[in-house]
Amino acid sequence: MELTIISPLDMHLHLREAEMLDFVLPLTSSYFAGAVIMPNLQQPVDSKDRLTHYRERIVNQCKDHGFEPYMTLFFKPYPANFLDEIKEQIIGIKLYPAGITTQSEQGVGELKEARDTFTIMEDLNIPLLVHGESHGYVLDREEEFLQTYLWLAENFPKLHIIMEHITTRAAVEFLDKYDNISATVTLHHLLLSLDDVIGGLMKPHLFCKPVAKSPRDRDALKQVVFSGHEKVMFGSDSAPHPIHAKECAGCAAGIFTAPLALPALATLFEQEGCLEKLQLFVSDHAVNRYQLQPIKKNIQLVRKPFVIPEKYGTITPFLAGKTLPWSYA
Ligand code: DOR
Ligand code: ZN
């Protein structure tokens, strides 16, 4: 049995820099037609120079793969002339509340002070991608942040706002309240609850931000994804960290899923009896929401066991050592 996915897109991806970039990039560019590249580098991507250099480095590294890096800028208050000049080179601007996750220290402190930039983005039709967590109690962070999404959605009705990597039933319910809100969902949040992370022995390779929530929350995510909701797009949030940064005191947040995401999603969608909806989740919804014309690239999956390696270089992947029924042809 075979399955063809047309121009799969990963709408939220961390590629990092230097050797890590060189190593992880082909593990996405071989299997996807494009990906939205996160800007949280050690020096955030917040200038034209940084954006151009980062894009060139990515493009040079995957020339033969038919892969489009959709670049993002790191949210800061930016002037209108700068955004007007740069808007053709980015798919959107990524907002991190300051200090909320990996390399986000230079993120936004007081959101309402960024009002002018939101107005400019709305005028210029630049989407806003948001890491939506407050600084409250860890399990309440996403739900608390819904007030901020509400403020954004109401005050900037033409701004396309993407709630990144949603993890809660409350966020799923919020999605339909405003036309200008969309969401991405990861593979790992469809599979995990907090029990998997800390319910038994603590599993650093399942630790990410936002943390996985309750089984009830996970079920709400599954329900909205498998129903083929058109505002819900796949964003892996594949976030590689070397083993020494995961297996230590002070484990870094992030789960590396890029090379196995499509076979694992095919497995999940098949189990749920909705394999025909996979194409919508991993490509069509993003194409429609963002009005993209992705590179034409057919990815073939076959029903043949795929043993997920224990390691990719220095990285332990999600589902390491497990066997999936679907693999790349
Ligand atoms: O788990 C995460 N890792 N969540 C994020 O938001 C950032 C990411 C990273 O960059 O490692
Ligand atoms: Zn991320």
Side-chain angles (χ1 to χ4, degrees), residues 74 84 126 154 196 198 207 263 296 306:
F74 190 95
D84 195 27
I126 301 175
E154 291 202 336
D196 298 300
I198 55 167
F207 173 63
K296 289 238 159 20
F306 172 24

Side-chain angles (χ1 to χ4, degrees), residues 14 16 40 96 101-102 131 165 207-210 237 239 241 253-255:
H14 297 273
R16 314 296 190 208
N40 63 328
Y96 291 95
T101 188
T102 308
H131 183 114
H165 42 52
F207 173 63
C208 64
K209 295 289 178 66
D237 200 9
H241 291 279
I255 302 182

Side-chain angles (χ1 to χ4, degrees), residues 12-16 38 40-41 94 96 100-104 131 133 164-165 188-189 206-211 237-241 246 252-255:
H12 182 135
L13 177 69
H14 297 273
L15 285 177
R16 314 296 190 208
M38 289 297 121
N40 63 328
L41 308 185
K94 176 68 189 277
Y96 291 95
I100 203 69
T101 188
T102 308
Q103 289 167 190
S104 63
H131 183 114
E133 289 194 284
E164 295 275 50
H165 42 52
H188 47 276
H189 290 120
L206 304 182
F207 173 63
C208 64
K209 295 289 178 66
V211 293
D237 200 9
S238 180
H241 291 279
K246 294 290 286 176
I255 302 182

